[in-house]
Amino acid sequence: MSLTIYDISEKAGVSIATVSRVLNNSNNVSEKTRQKVLDVMEANGYTPNVFARGLGLDTMKTIGILCADSSDLYLAKAVYYLERFLRQNSYDTILCCTGYEPEYKKKSMELLLSKRVDGVILCGSNFLHEIDEDNEYIRQAAKQLPVMMLNADFDYENVYSCFCDDHRSMVNATRTMVASGHKDILYLYNSDTASGKRKLSGVIAGLEMAGLPVHAEYQQFYGGSHENIDEMVAFIQELADGGLTFNGIIAADDALGLAAVKYARSAGLCIPKDLAVIGYNNSLLAKCCDPELSSVDNQLENLCQTLIHNLIQVLNDETTPQKSIFNGELIERGTTLSPKADS
Amino acid sequence: MSLTIYDISEKAGVSIATVSRVLNNSNNVSEKTRQKVLDVMEANGYTPNVFARGLGLDTMKTIGILCADSSDLYLAKAVYYLERFLRQNSYDTILCCTGYEPEYKKKSMELLLSKRVDGVILCGSNFLHEIDEDNEYIRQAAKQLPVMMLNADFDYENVYSCFCDDHRSMVNATRTMVASGHKDILYLYNSDTASGKRKLSGVIAGLEMAGLPVHAEYQQFYGGSHENIDEMVAFIQELADGGLTFNGIIAADDALGLAAVKYARSAGLCIPKDLAVIGYNNSLLAKCCDPELSSVDNQLENLCQTLIHNLIQVLNDETTPQKSIFNGELIERGTTLSPKADS
DNA sequence: CTCATATATGTAAGCACTTACATTTTGTGT
DNA sequence: ACACAAAATGTAAGTGCTTACATATATGAG
């Protein structure tokens, strides 16, 4: 087996306690011996055994990230940022992709808990369920360790949230579109999560503020695959074929927005004149559109950074906000018309 | 603190050794006592302490995944598959995003080793460097634990590779394009990794097999951001403005392929008649193109599955192939013309 | 120069588990 | 009923580290 603290202590001519102190940057070690010990460690390529360490400290400096599907464009980015910021704070990341079924989420959470991670991050609003009982696993976990929620809002002791005010972002997006003259707005969404609901209510509020009518058939739920652009285009086509008339589409994510742009082309519509489109997330997909998709940037990097910052504070027993709420920003590109100054 | 093996042994009226045996599914435990112990565990919600366990067994059933950038569309998918297959085999995943600098890769590897992971997966060909000395960290690691390489080929004891025969895929793609009548083929690439080199050599070989000339200016390296589609389009535009004439573009990844499609539109070219395009990876981006991008599918899911399968075999001291090589498959969509039957 | 105090180092008892080895129980053939 | 092997269970010694407490050494005030 590899070197132990005993080997080092022997070679350095000190006790194991001193070696341990050096390892933990304890004070009360003279600079001379500290250096000697460090030299010996270096010379012998010593690495402390994390298990033994964890046994004593009951922490592994590791955070569990739960994520439904880390291959999703948006979640992948989130995981990436989270991992980076965690590492900057000397924490490791155990990744756990749960899929979308409540049952698996619960299982995955239990697994992380059994690994004695120091905290858990729930990445994405799909970890919050409609039926309150399904959220029991979060409350249970929060009794043992801090639970951080990205893009979701949950009230419970030891649960902290960072999210974007999607409602407000959507109010803003809707009003911007209306101001540019597109008043028959079709809203497309594909998820009924908390965040999805906030967006929907934002669109409705935006329409109401603009004094426009709110018709249920103008809020359409796309239930198909998140990766099948074709199917999304067909979905929009069907709506149009069904007699729905619209000159603006607001989409709950960029994939749907991209589909809207594709639909417009196939229908021979001119973007943004005949049809304006706004997406959500400001992801790579927005730049893949032709013309490029206007999209709401929901500050993912800032969200992640703040989330980790808050988490570290909690772990250090410092006080930290229970909720950190950011504002989204509409990035206007080729699929929207800037509103005329005089309207 | 939580329950220990002692609490369970006491409540069940057996010794700790017996409890431990139940925990490890050892034989030599009567069915009666096994059940009794399991019941007590269940009733008290006992979970074994992983640290103590790791100390004894010197394994944590955890695999480290090194990945330059888990937010990259392709790598994200790889990480997702790997994590899923690992979990199916009761292994956890520590994710470590390294960025692209050799220095960081080395550091990250050391970090994983110090965590006593049971194996390491290098995800993507960018972990292999031109300068052989820069690959020393892989050889060092392989002395301690199995190293699995995804999409890279490296000869060393205890290093196992799974990759797609990119050379062959590109030969195939090139010949298909030539057969459809597009003979002035521009090859665009953006990475000089081992996999990048295999692709390039495949394109060249494909041209040669078709009896076409190979001109260096028809193999262009795009050195810009991997996420900036605009910049890619501008890059192609510049080449065309510079007098390069081509009626086919083969791209080393789908982002470049998508840029080529965008370029064609902005240049008023008709796809695939005036310009045929083939991408690589068959990612979501291929479906985002309009028309949809023909692309080489390099069997990522199969690669990942096989990689994990091989890894598990190695960990169980079974023999396993040093290299598993797959063939890519060209998925033809709207950006290529199927070759005429009589040509 | 002494004694009190601060600083540096050492000793030894955990931490929760695994497992070789010892001991007891059970089962089988005679 | 007895001897003997096999099966079941228990005992105790690691596993590598942290840390409270004990001890030794250095520092400084009087």
Side-chain angles (χ1 to χ4, degrees), chain B residues 211-282:
Chain B
L212 293 171
V214 176
H215 297 302
E217 67 268 29
Y218 276 83
Q219 282 97 49
Q220 288 286 345
F221 181 81
Y222 163 78
S225 153
H226 290 210
E227 293 227 328
N228 194 331
I229 307 286
D230 263 357
E231 194 182 338
M232 299 179 193
V233 174
F235 179 73
I236 302 172
Q237 183 70 55
E238 251 172 60
L239 291 174
D241 291 348
L244 207 63
T245 59
F246 46 85
N247 55 15
I249 291 183
I250 296 181
D253 73 18
D254 285 339
L256 280 169
L258 186 140
V261 172
K262 274 196 154 188
Y263 155 77
R265 184 182 310 286
S266 77
L269 300 172
C270 173
I271 288 184
K273 200 168 69 65
D274 300 336
L275 182 67
V277 184
I278 294 179
Y280 208 98
N281 283 349
N282 193 29

Side-chain angles (χ1 to χ4, degrees), chain B residues 49 60 79 94 113 179 182 190 211 241 266 282 288 322 325 343:
Chain B
N49 180 314
M60 185 95 154
V79 169
I94 291 192
L113 294 182
H182 298 87
N190 59 3
D241 291 348
S266 77
N282 193 29
C288 289
Q322 195 89 19
I325 305 174
S343 71

Side-chain angles (χ1 to χ4, degrees), chain A residues 179-194:
Chain A
S180 75
H182 297 89
K183 300 189 177 179
D184 300 320
I185 299 177
L186 170 61
Y187 175 63
L188 297 175
Y189 61 111
N190 59 2
S191 106
D192 251 336
T193 61

Side-chain angles (χ1 to χ4, degrees), chain B residues 170 173 176-177 180 249-258 260-261 271-272 275-283 285-297 329-339:
Chain B
M170 276 306 196
T176 304
M177 190 174 269
S180 74
I249 291 183
I250 296 181
D253 73 18
D254 285 339
L256 280 169
L258 186 140
V261 172
I271 288 184
L275 182 67
V277 184
I278 294 179
Y280 208 98
N281 283 349
N282 193 29
S283 67
L285 292 190
K287 291 165 202 146
C288 289
C289 286
D290 196 0
E292 295 195 356
L293 182 66
S294 299
S295 184
V296 175
D297 187 314
E329 183 190 359
L330 176 61
I331 310 290
E332 296 221 46
R333 298 205 181 83
T335 62
T336 45
L337 220 51
S338 279

Side-chain angles (χ1 to χ4, degrees), chain A residues 61-81:
Chain A
K61 293 279 268 181
T62 300
I63 302 296
I65 296 186
L66 285 175
C67 165
D69 171 4
S70 71
S71 78
D72 173 274
L73 205 56
Y74 184 75
L75 294 177
K77 210 127 206 146
V79 169
Y80 172 74
Y81 287 133

Side-chain angles (χ1 to χ4, degrees), chain B residues 9-23:
Chain B
S9 75
E10 194 176 327
K11 287 179 205 276
V14 297
S15 75
I16 57 161
T18 302
V19 177
S20 177
R21 287 195 190 96
V22 172
L23 233 38

